[in-house]
Amino acid sequence: MKFALVTGGSRGIGRAICIKLAQMGYPVLINYNHNKEAADQTKTAIETNGGKAHLLQFDVANQSETEQVLSAWIENNPDDYIAILVNNAGIRKDNLMFWMADSDWQNVIDTNLNGTFFTTRAVLKYMLSKKFGRIINIVSISGINGMTGQVNYSAAKAGIIGLTKSLALETAKKRITVNAVAPGFIETDMTKDLNQDVLKKTIPAERFGKAEEVAELVGFLASDNAGYITGQVVAISGGL
Ligand code: NAP
């Protein structure tokens, strides 16, 4: 059976993606780091609508934990495989570069960029052997254009874009597509400290996006209809 794994599926964009992929018929593995209560809410939302979901706790920034949890799941589920991987887990720790602490640089690179690498490598072998897969990496407009106060986050997201393009070349002949989705400002916990009234004046659509709107795009890229799209970065930013 084909499963979907969504990192950071407990809240925000990741939760909306879990719900969308479950609606498309995939049993969903909801990864989270600390917030089990929120992950349980995602699971309940899926199950209430007749879908299937399981929680999978690991810190994507921790290589051995990520590999241990995923290899245990793979070993315990020999008839199933992770066909859809959404690398969504992410954090931001903004500051002007002049003031940026080493730990804020390192944590953002570890979670966003290294987490994408560790998680993808752990499931890639099985996608290659099944000759099918969809990998969707959640990046950001900040990784394309840059953003004041985000050298760490922009560098991490730009790094994931490079990973996306190179991996797409490596896997296309095995029917594995690898794409990136680059949201602008989306209403989630990550952006709740931002001043929407000020920022929405900079967005052509004059509003923040919704997590469900991002999930629709991810759902399309995960679908069979998107089989000829690979190595691309699709922005969802209200024109920003
Ligand atoms: P959010 O509401 O803050 O949720 C972050 C999610 O990531 C949570 O589920 C969290 O799990 C998980 N997470 C964080 N660190 C993790 C780790 N080390 N291991 C496993 N899971 C971890 O963020 P969001 O706004 O939905 O963002 C989702 C993705 O979209 C991120 O990659 C973000 O960079 C990107 N993005 C967001 C926006 C935006 O405007 N919101 C714009 C562009 C890109 P816990 O609940 O356990 O903490």
Side-chain angles (χ1 to χ4, degrees), residues 44-67:
T44 304
I46 289 172
E47 290 172 345
T48 306
N49 288 312
K52 289 202 173 71
H54 308 272
L55 302 190
L56 219 50
Q57 191 281 329
F58 58 91
D59 173 358
V60 296
N62 183 325
Q63 179 184 1
S64 57
E65 191 174 301
T66 300
E67 288 176 358

Side-chain angles (χ1 to χ4, degrees), residues 10-11 13 33-35 59-60 88 139 153 157 184 186 188:
S10 46
R11 292 184 282 128
I13 294 171
N33 190 16
H34 297 302
N35 204 333
D59 173 358
V60 296
N88 164 82
V139 293
Y153 186 79
K157 295 300 193 186
I186 308 297
T188 67

Side-chain angles (χ1 to χ4, degrees), residues 7-15 31-36 38-39 58-62 87-92 111-112 138-142 153 157 181-191 194 208 211:
T7 67
S10 46
R11 292 184 282 128
I13 294 171
R15 174 183 289 174
N31 160 257
Y32 68 101
N33 190 16
H34 297 302
N35 204 333
K36 180 166 187 310
F58 58 91
D59 173 358
V60 296
N62 183 325
N87 287 301
N88 164 82
I91 55 167
R92 50 174 268 257
T111 300
N112 293 277
I138 308 301
V139 293
S140 169
I141 288 293
S142 177
Y153 186 79
K157 295 300 193 186
V181 164
F185 291 108
I186 308 297
E187 261 180 291
T188 67
D189 290 347
M190 186 178 272
T191 52
L194 304 179
F208 276 29

Side-chain angles (χ1 to χ4, degrees), residues 129-186:
S129 70
K130 298 283 182 187
K131 297 193 177 60
F132 178 85
R134 295 277 185 270
I135 299 172
I136 298 144
N137 298 323
I138 308 301
V139 293
S140 169
I141 288 293
S142 177
I144 301 171
N145 297 341
M147 185 86 71
T148 300
Q150 291 199 325
V151 291
N152 50 358
Y153 186 79
S154 300
K157 295 300 193 186
I160 300 172
I161 291 172
L163 179 156
T164 301
K165 289 174 181 282
S166 294
L167 184 60
L169 301 178
E170 293 180 15
T171 59
K173 64 173 179 286
K174 298 282 191 186
R175 295 201 309 132
I176 298 169
T177 66
V178 191
N179 291 291
V181 164
F185 291 108
I186 308 297

